[in-house]
Amino acid sequence: MAPKSRKPATKKANKIEEEIMSEPRHNMIAHLDPEGKFVDFKEITEWIRESRINKAVTFSMLVYKTLVKAFWDTAQFIEVDGKEMIRGKVHKLNVDITPEILNNVLELQDVADAPFSIPIKCTCGCLLRMKCTADIFAGQINKASLPMRYKFLLHVLIQCLGKNRAGYDMTGFDLIGLMVALVLNKPFSISKLLFAYMKDNLQRTGSRTTGKKFWMYPRFVQMVMNTQHHDLPKADTDNLKIESMLAHSFNLFKGHSAKK
């Protein structure tokens, strides 16, 4: 019996580096209906626009693939004068990221001694008051288990501030804790949480990213680079795709909520 011929290489094997190392829906740009067209979302979108996460979730600018790649290819966790930082090299220039730098660039208004987690008891209690229908003790929840306004808020947090490059329906207690802190106006250091995610990414060298670091938070990395080095060379053909939430997503949210 003749041996079976080999199947041709899959599309996955032929993916270009950008497709492997980045994800357009990660670190997205939120659409918060500034024209007020979607009445059912008016309260929550106004609330987010007036909150301290507004710039982090809505700020849009060109992101350059070569610069983001250079940062993550060289990024290392170091301590300088007792201060933790992630340092990458871009065109032989240091690009430093610390919680303080993220706080300033993203205008998060974090307090220096604020924690970046919320006690489980407080989180679970808030989820109950939100009328969450999921098992709140499972360690993660599906955003669909929340009423529409909280579902939308968690959706924005997952897509714009979350660490994942896939699986945007479920999230753990880290981002849920952030949601609870924002809703209850509790002290919470968003910059420390983002920095912890970025620090974890330095160890994220699995087969999916071919042994390299995922290009995490490209918008935020570009914002830091723009602040620290104004004259980095940029090419119009070097743009990295970052998706924006579209207005029709409000209709999708409303439709899914109506089916529940």
Side-chain angles (χ1 to χ4, degrees):
M1 185 176 177
K4 291 182 178 180
S5 59
R6 272 191 177 181
K7 292 182 179 180
T10 63
K11 288 183 179 179
K12 184 175 180 180
N14 291 330
K15 280 186 175 181
I16 61 173
E17 184 180 37
E18 180 178 336
E19 293 178 278
I20 296 171
M21 302 305 299
S22 67
E23 163 54 53
R25 294 175 298 167
H26 166 75
N27 202 202
M28 283 180 72
I29 303 156
H31 177 75
L32 298 179
D33 188 27
E35 297 177 357
K37 293 181 179 179
F38 299 91
V39 178
D40 292 329
F41 294 88
K42 183 177 180 181
E43 183 180 355
I44 188 60
T45 52
E46 284 183 350
W47 185 86
I48 296 174
R49 289 200 303 270
E50 293 172 1
S51 76
R52 62 194 185 97
I53 64 170
N54 178 59
K55 183 173 182 178
V57 302
T58 63
F59 191 79
S60 176
M61 76 296 182
L62 293 177
V63 176
Y64 296 91
K65 176 176 64 178
T66 301
L67 302 182
V68 173
K69 168 181 163 56
F71 173 82
W72 280 115
D73 281 354
T74 59
Q76 293 182 319
F77 175 75
I78 62 172
E79 287 192 26
V80 177
D81 298 329
K83 180 178 292 188
E84 295 184 347
M85 68 173 59
I86 297 170
R87 171 171 289 172
K89 290 276 189 182
V90 179
H91 290 285
K92 299 182 180 180
L93 298 170
N94 289 339
V95 175
D96 295 335
I97 294 182
T98 66
E100 293 79 13
I101 289 171
L102 290 171
N103 187 29
N104 291 333
V105 170
L106 302 178
E107 299 178 10
L108 295 168
Q109 304 172 41
D110 288 337
V111 178
D113 59 352
F116 61 100
S117 63
I118 294 291
I120 295 295
K121 185 176 180 180
C122 176
T123 300
C124 291
C126 188
L127 288 174
L128 287 173
R129 291 194 294 276
M130 290 177 176
K131 299 186 180 347
C132 177
T133 60
D135 178 2
I136 60 175
F137 300 105
Q140 59 178 357
I141 68 167
N142 190 310
K143 65 189 180 188
S145 64
L146 292 167
M148 190 166 61
R149 60 177 177 174
Y150 297 123
K151 175 185 174 183
F152 181 77
L153 172 58
L154 188 56
H155 173 72
V156 169
L157 296 179
I158 292 171
Q159 298 282 177
C160 303
L161 303 182
K163 63 182 177 180
N164 293 343
R165 59 176 295 161
Y168 298 115
D169 290 326
M170 304 290 293
T171 190
F173 269 31
D174 43 4
L175 275 187
I176 297 169
L178 169 55
M179 177 180 70
V180 168
L182 291 171
V183 169
L184 299 181
N185 197 26
K186 285 186 168 291
F188 191 101
S189 178
I190 305 170
S191 56
K192 289 178 185 175
L193 179 64
L194 297 177
F195 183 79
Y197 286 163
M198 296 178 79
K199 184 177 173 183
D200 288 344
N201 190 48
L202 297 178
Q203 311 301 321
R204 201 172 176 177
T205 53
S207 58
R208 186 168 187 180
T209 54
T210 62
K212 298 178 182 179
K213 306 176 192 78
F214 168 50
W215 297 348
M216 186 181 231
Y217 295 135
R219 278 197 304 122
F220 300 161
V221 170
Q222 187 69 58
M223 290 166 74
V224 170
M225 287 190 284
N226 289 349
T227 300
Q228 295 180 359
H229 305 291
H230 303 286
D231 299 321
L232 286 171
K234 302 178 176 84
D236 293 338
T237 57
D238 191 39
N239 294 340
L240 183 64
K241 183 179 180 182
I242 308 292
E243 289 190 4
S244 299
M245 295 180 189
L246 301 175
H248 79 262
S249 63
F250 291 103
N251 289 325
L252 293 175
F253 260 84
K254 188 174 180 180
H256 290 163
S257 297
K259 293 176 184 178
K260 288 179 61 177

